[in-house]
Amino acid sequence: MLLKTSLRSFFAHKGRMALSLIAVVLSVAFVSGTLVFSDTATSTFDKLFAATASDVSVQPPKPAEDDEQQAAVKPPTVPVALAEQIAAVPGVKKAVGQVMVGNAILIDPATNKLVGPTSGAPTLVGNWTDTPRNPLTVTSGHVPQNSGELVLDADTAKKAKLGLGARIRVENAGGKHDFTIAGIATFTATNPGAALAFLDTPTAQQLLLGEPAYTSVEAFGDGTRSNDRLKADAVAKVGGGYQVKTAAEQKEESTKQIGSGLDFMKYAMLGFAFVSAIVGGFLIINTFSMLVAQRTREIGLLRAVGGSRRQVNRSVLVEALILGVLGSTLGVAAGLGVALGLIKLMNAIGMDLKAADLQIGPDVFIAGYALGIVVTLVAAWFPARRASRISPMAALRDHGTPAEGRANLVRSVVGLLMTAVGGGALVLGARSEKAATGGQYLGLGVVLTLVGFVVLGPLLASAIVRVLGAVLPALFGPSGKLAQRNAMRNPRRTGATAAALMIGLALVIASSVFSSSAVTSASAQIDKSVGVDYIISGGRAEVTQEMLDIVRRTPGIDHVTTQKGFQAAKVQLPDGQKAKTGLDAVPPAFFGTDFRPTVKSGAVESIGRGSLGIGEAFAKDHGLKVGDQVTVDYGRGRTQVLPVGVVFAKGELFGNGSFVDMDTMAKVVPAAEQPPVDTFFAKAASGTDVAKTLTALQDGLKEYPQLTVKDQAGYKELVQSQINTLLYLIYGLVALSITVAVLGVVNTLALSVVERTREIGLLRAIGLSRRQLRRMIRLESVVIAVFGAVLGTGLGLAWGVTVQGVLRDQGLATLSIPTTTIAITLVSSVVIGLVAALVPAFRAGRMNVLAAIATD
């Protein structure tokens, strides 16, 4: 009987459930779609690695931490003789020496444009080898046969519009090398998105490694021994100094690397699901609350004929379960569309994933149904509980839900307490000296203030809507007054409806405060501290002496300044402990004329006299001060005792770095062990036209498309674009939550129109026109939307200001409030209210007056 009643009730109100269903579908679709995409990508690459990996790979010893930087510049190698040793291992059918590096770039000399990806997937250049499991096969032309020929993968050739006979340039630290494309190779399995170029083995060894060596030896067995046995025999043959990996170990390592690259997209999409689930929860609560209110007499009759509280509760929850199951089913199906969209996105950036290879595992259904059903049941539990507490007599008299004076008092106290504690946590976070501690307070404060505002929603609705709607009677007459009263009539409903919108707009404002403060802080630091006129970055490739010479010879350039970064450097403290620090070696001009850092103590000129410069945070964390003697460890056993000569103020451009003079460093680190230059700076001569000199620089360096040449204004734009990339992702999340919130407003208004059918009929009977009726509903929607926007703006400002305070010593020194964004947000909330009210207002205007009055 209970199930039958629930089913009839659900299908009797299926139209009212539709928008709640959409919220569930959206949440489940993003979760299931993300899992399908992740499973498909992982499966595709597993197949690739399984089809192409050698049975045993012998690789150079893993570099020590001190040598990691050197290994990135000059790839570690194994001797040529190792291939013969591995070939002699019993059970090995073939052993091939492989050369493959990622520190070279490809350039089309005809257009001076980069060939291959500029971000994400790498550009790999190596030697062409014939192996039993080659991932590519030459489909046009032939393999490289001499030092002037190169084979290019088909996908890269197509994108760069290069064919057989075309010229292509390989550039690395050893210089520029021109080749003719002799062959085009097509992937036999999935293209991981990289650009691949192949030379003949002697040329690859000379140009890419500078010596006759390999980067690995790949062995293929004859099937008589297991891979583990081959590995053990190989280790016994060549000793334990090398990394020896079976096919399974290679696959595990490669899958881990690919997985880390896909994690960002995976977690971003799960973020979409999380936001839509939270906002959808408010929508479901509102839907069931209003359905329960409209069925008060029906519930009273059920109780009067013997229905228990538990049965009424279960009846509502069964309806929610039906909604959750249906929404989850549709969401999983929609998730396949989301997965296909992600696959197309990855194909657009060069990764070859096929829609026919979709992997739909049990985890997709488990996660999808768990999310959809749990969210729906939890959201419906509160209305169900209230419904079960309605006494039969009160329900039959149509008094609605029971008085909630005590409940409202408890709600208000709890909401005020949570908001106060959350606000205190935000204040503590903004004032924390350490970013890690501040971040913890920030997270606690965000959660507590958000929940506090949601709990306080009904109380705030009564007060704020009264103020916001005060002008409506004066501007719109009876329609305005009725709209204000309707929004205040059920504060709980108004608060829940506005809460969904509040979350999205709070994220917009907080993100805007962060991005505006980041851009303003970066611009202020550049204006204050940067004296150079041009910043030239090498991107993935290191800067060569030829590039530096071109810049120095450019008319209008006064001087060029370089820096060399020791990322694995350590400082041995007076107590004997070692602390890792990023250390840059710079010439005297760096802090003489090119940069103007803020000094906490000491003198910046001391760096040029053989002292060490450190950041204030590093000094404070390790108890260092000006005059202390420390031992600088550059790596590979190169150490030097230096005094601390200057401490840079934290929060400034160099507040977190350590610096040493270039000549001081060169006394203990040979030139061959010094890291390459990847970024350098140029100063325009006095009286020079900076813009014209920038053009001359760009013209002079046009053969090096890997270089990014910016003046100060261009560098500011680059910083802003990097910040905006993150901001656009957040805005995507916000757009989803606002979309679901708009559905919530539509649903609330549509159900309230049904709930007030008799009231609307009476209003029409006493003279309210259709136009006035529609205006009343639109104004009610606008008031609710503006109420949510006001709450969201307040929360977002509090969160954004706290973020700036937490990160003030990490470069976010200047607080900037984006007033334009706030104004646009408030105006947009009016538009959202108007759009959300279109359908409910239209339906209300079409009601038959007599039929509406006669509604029971």
Side-chain angles (χ1 to χ4, degrees), residues 108 111 114-116 152 154-163 168:
D108 180 357
T111 60
L114 287 175
V115 174
L152 188 65
D155 293 332
T156 301
K158 182 179 179 180
K159 291 176 184 176
K161 299 180 180 178
L162 296 173
I168 192 168

Side-chain angles (χ1 to χ4, degrees), residues 69 564-569 580-584:
Q69 185 167 270
K564 295 185 176 182
F566 292 82
Q567 302 306 317
K580 189 173 180 179
T581 179
L583 178 66
D584 285 311

Side-chain angles (χ1 to χ4, degrees), residues 1-12 295 298 302 311 314-315 318-319 322:
M1 178 64 72
L2 175 66
L3 178 61
K4 189 174 183 180
T5 303
S6 300
L7 287 171
R8 284 188 174 181
S9 176
F10 179 86
F11 288 109
R295 291 160 52 197
E298 174 189 326
L302 283 174
Q311 286 176 315
R314 287 180 180 176
S315 175
V318 167
E319 291 182 47
I322 296 170

Side-chain angles (χ1 to χ4, degrees), residues 613-747:
I614 59 176
E616 182 181 356
F618 186 83
K620 186 174 182 179
D621 290 344
H622 301 290
L624 295 174
K625 62 183 184 300
V626 172
D628 287 347
Q629 297 285 325
V630 298
T631 300
V632 177
D633 185 350
Y634 296 98
R636 309 189 80 176
R638 309 296 182 180
T639 62
Q640 191 174 44
V641 178
L642 298 175
V644 176
V646 60
V647 176
F648 301 110
K650 60 183 179 180
E652 297 294 323
L653 195 61
F654 303 106
N656 297 320
S658 298
F659 294 88
V660 68
D661 183 71
M662 192 86 74
D663 292 336
T664 301
M665 174 273 298
K667 291 177 182 178
V668 296
V669 183
E673 294 181 15
Q674 293 178 15
V677 174
D678 57 11
T679 300
F680 64 103
F681 314 94
K683 176 76 173 176
S686 179
T688 301
D689 188 321
V690 176
K692 288 184 178 179
T693 305
L694 174 64
T695 303
L697 273 176
Q698 292 170 335
D699 290 341
L701 296 170
K702 63 183 179 181
E703 292 187 8
Y704 303 95
Q706 69 271 33
L707 294 180
T708 301
V709 186
K710 300 287 184 182
D711 59 6
Q712 286 195 20
Y715 190 70
K716 290 178 184 177
E717 292 176 358
L718 179 63
V719 170
Q720 184 170 357
S721 67
Q722 292 171 344
I723 294 171
N724 285 344
T725 300
L726 173 63
L727 193 63
Y728 293 149
L729 173 62
I730 297 173
Y731 281 171
L733 287 169
V734 170
L736 175 68
S737 69
I738 290 176
T739 299
V740 179
V742 170
L743 294 177
V745 178
V746 173
N747 210 25

Side-chain angles (χ1 to χ4, degrees), residues 10 13 68 82 85 92 96 120 198 341 397 414 444 477 545 555 616 700 777 833:
F10 179 86
H13 304 108
E68 286 182 358
L82 189 68
Q85 290 180 273
V92 172
V96 177
F198 300 93
R397 288 197 302 268
V414 171
L444 177 64
Q545 187 62 44
E616 182 181 356
I777 294 173

Side-chain angles (χ1 to χ4, degrees), residues 275 502-512 730-731 734 737 796 799:
V275 171
M502 175 189 73
I503 294 174
L505 298 183
L507 288 173
V508 169
I509 300 300
S511 304
S512 298
I730 297 173
Y731 281 171
V734 170
S737 69
W799 297 349

Side-chain angles (χ1 to χ4, degrees), residues 798-851:
W799 297 349
V801 169
T802 304
V803 169
Q804 186 274 327
V806 170
L807 299 177
R808 65 186 180 279
D809 293 335
Q810 274 63 48
L812 216 68
T814 305
L815 175 64
S816 176
I817 304 297
T819 54
T820 302
T821 301
I822 293 174
I824 292 173
T825 300
L826 293 174
V827 172
S828 299
S829 66
V830 175
V831 176
I832 288 172
L834 291 173
V835 170
L838 288 177
V839 174
F842 177 74
R843 290 183 61 187
R846 295 186 62 189
M847 281 186 183
N848 181 282
V849 177
L850 294 178

